[in-house]
Amino acid sequence: TLGLGSTVLLSLLAVATITFLALVPGPLPWFDGGLPLPGLYVAAVWAALSMAAILIAAYAWRVAEETRRMTDALGAAQMALAREQEMSALGALATAAAHELGSPLATILITAKEMLNELDDDDPLRAEAQVMLDQALRCRTILAAIGRRRDHDEHAPFVRAPLSSVLREIAELYARPLVTLEVTSRIADGQEEPTLMPTPEFRHALGNILNNGLEFARSKLQVVVEKDSREVRVVIRDDGPGFAPEVLEWLGEPYLSTRRDNGGLGLGVFIATTLLARTGAALHVENASDGAVVTLRWPSEAWRRSFGENLG
């Protein structure tokens, strides 16, 4: 169970001890006095013990390292299974919520439309009624999307779009009047911008991340698409206050939120992280000097497997 450094140190100590005994050997106890050993025999014993110590240490470390890898793999598999189970439970909960919320949402829509029709154009409450109606319609669209079956994607090769265009389209759904959205591409020489057919899962995951960035940004949200022969990267940077230090290390775990007072459940980033992980993406978050930075990375093989495009 020792690490590599401890194993090497212990082996060197053993070899040093064997070498010291070989350099200053004493005679073996014998019935008529000491029995001196020939120099060749001492050298041979030194070589045998030294090699044995090194080989046994190397073998033991390899076995222990393999055990550690298996333990880490088992832990990762258990964590992935737990996250999938939580996602499955959330899916069932979302279906039930969509069913239960249908009737009260319809009532809210009818009431909002009647209020809007009864208010005059110059009434200051008309704008608020319009916002309420728009948000209720958005809720109905979200609930309808939860229960909608995935469309068959046999025509996917004919409807592929550049990644930057897809990100701009998703971000514009959550646009805010005082926040500027900037989507750019930085493609390595000889490379073309990656394209994909965005799945509902991809749209939801990126929409959640972009919505958070737009919500916390003070004046600008930058989205940069980068690509080389090894991977595709999406860097999302805002100029807001950044992530709270107490949640930065645990971001992506379920029910972790700093906005519970405002109705946040702490599931958005967890769901987005899990959905993106299914496509092979790795998510990294950090605080910069002028805001928060979220980086998504798809290795070339993961991108090809998930979106059917070879980056080579």
Side-chain angles (χ1 to χ4, degrees):
T1 59
L2 296 179
L4 179 59
S6 300
T7 302
V8 171
L9 182 62
L10 188 61
S11 301
L12 291 177
L13 180 61
V15 172
T17 304
I18 296 169
T19 303
F20 173 76
L21 294 176
L23 293 176
V24 288
L28 290 178
W30 205 249
F31 62 93
D32 59 350
L35 178 64
L37 298 174
L40 181 60
Y41 181 85
V42 172
V45 171
W46 170 84
L49 293 178
S50 298
M51 287 188 293
I54 294 173
L55 291 176
I56 292 174
Y59 177 77
W61 178 79
R62 287 292 299 273
V63 171
E65 181 67 15
E66 188 65 24
T67 302
R68 279 191 290 269
R69 290 180 181 177
M70 292 180 63
T71 302
D72 293 342
L74 178 61
Q78 290 175 336
M79 182 178 296
L81 179 60
R83 296 178 78 91
E84 290 296 331
Q85 290 174 340
E86 290 175 345
M87 281 291 294
S88 178
L90 287 172
L93 181 62
T95 303
H99 175 73
E100 295 294 332
L101 292 174
S103 296
L105 182 60
T107 303
I108 294 173
L109 280 171
I110 294 174
T111 304
K113 289 179 181 178
E114 292 180 352
M115 291 176 58
L116 195 62
N117 292 332
E118 293 179 0
L119 293 173
D120 298 331
D121 293 340
D122 56 350
D123 195 312
L125 296 178
R126 183 176 180 83
E128 297 182 4
Q130 183 65 52
V131 171
M132 184 173 64
L133 178 61
D134 294 340
Q135 294 301 316
L137 290 172
R138 180 184 172 191
C139 290
R140 186 176 66 177
T141 302
I142 294 173
L143 292 179
I146 291 176
R148 186 183 304 134
R149 298 180 61 182
R150 291 187 59 180
D151 297 331
H152 190 57
D153 58 352
E154 61 181 357
H155 301 297
F158 304 102
V159 293
R160 301 180 69 88
L163 179 56
S164 60
S165 299
V166 173
L167 294 174
R168 184 179 293 105
E169 176 189 353
I170 296 173
E172 287 176 351
L173 297 175
Y174 307 95
R176 286 174 169 76
L178 301 179
V179 178
T180 303
L181 174 64
E182 181 181 316
V183 182
T184 58
S185 298
R186 297 175 185 172
I187 309 301
D189 294 339
Q191 299 284 327
E192 297 181 356
E193 182 174 350
T195 62
L196 76 159
M197 177 187 178
T199 62
E201 293 84 356
F202 182 88
R203 288 182 176 275
H204 180 83
L206 267 298
N208 186 281
I209 296 174
L210 292 170
N211 182 36
N212 285 342
L214 287 166
E215 183 174 350
F216 285 100
R218 294 189 177 95
S219 61
K220 179 186 292 187
L221 179 73
Q222 293 179 312
V223 182
V224 181
V225 176
E226 301 176 348
K227 173 188 172 184
D228 53 36
S229 60
R230 298 188 304 273
E231 63 180 11
V232 173
R233 294 179 297 276
V234 174
V235 182
I236 303 171
R237 180 189 299 269
D238 65 60
D239 59 352
F243 297 104
E246 63 270 17
V247 303
L248 184 59
E249 184 179 354
W250 302 98
L251 202 64
E253 294 300 319
Y255 306 108
L256 180 67
S257 176
T258 58
R259 297 183 292 170
R260 291 192 176 273
D261 294 339
N262 296 327
L265 297 177
L267 292 174
V269 179
F270 162 70
I271 294 175
T273 302
T274 304
L275 292 176
L276 289 171
R278 292 177 178 176
T279 68
L283 184 144
H284 176 71
V285 296
E286 61 182 339
N287 285 328
S289 59
D290 57 347
V293 180
V294 177
T295 304
L296 299 172
R297 299 177 182 271
W298 284 271
S300 57
E301 179 60 26
W303 183 272
R304 184 197 63 78
R305 185 174 60 253
S306 299
F307 303 109
E309 181 184 40
N310 191 354
L311 300 182

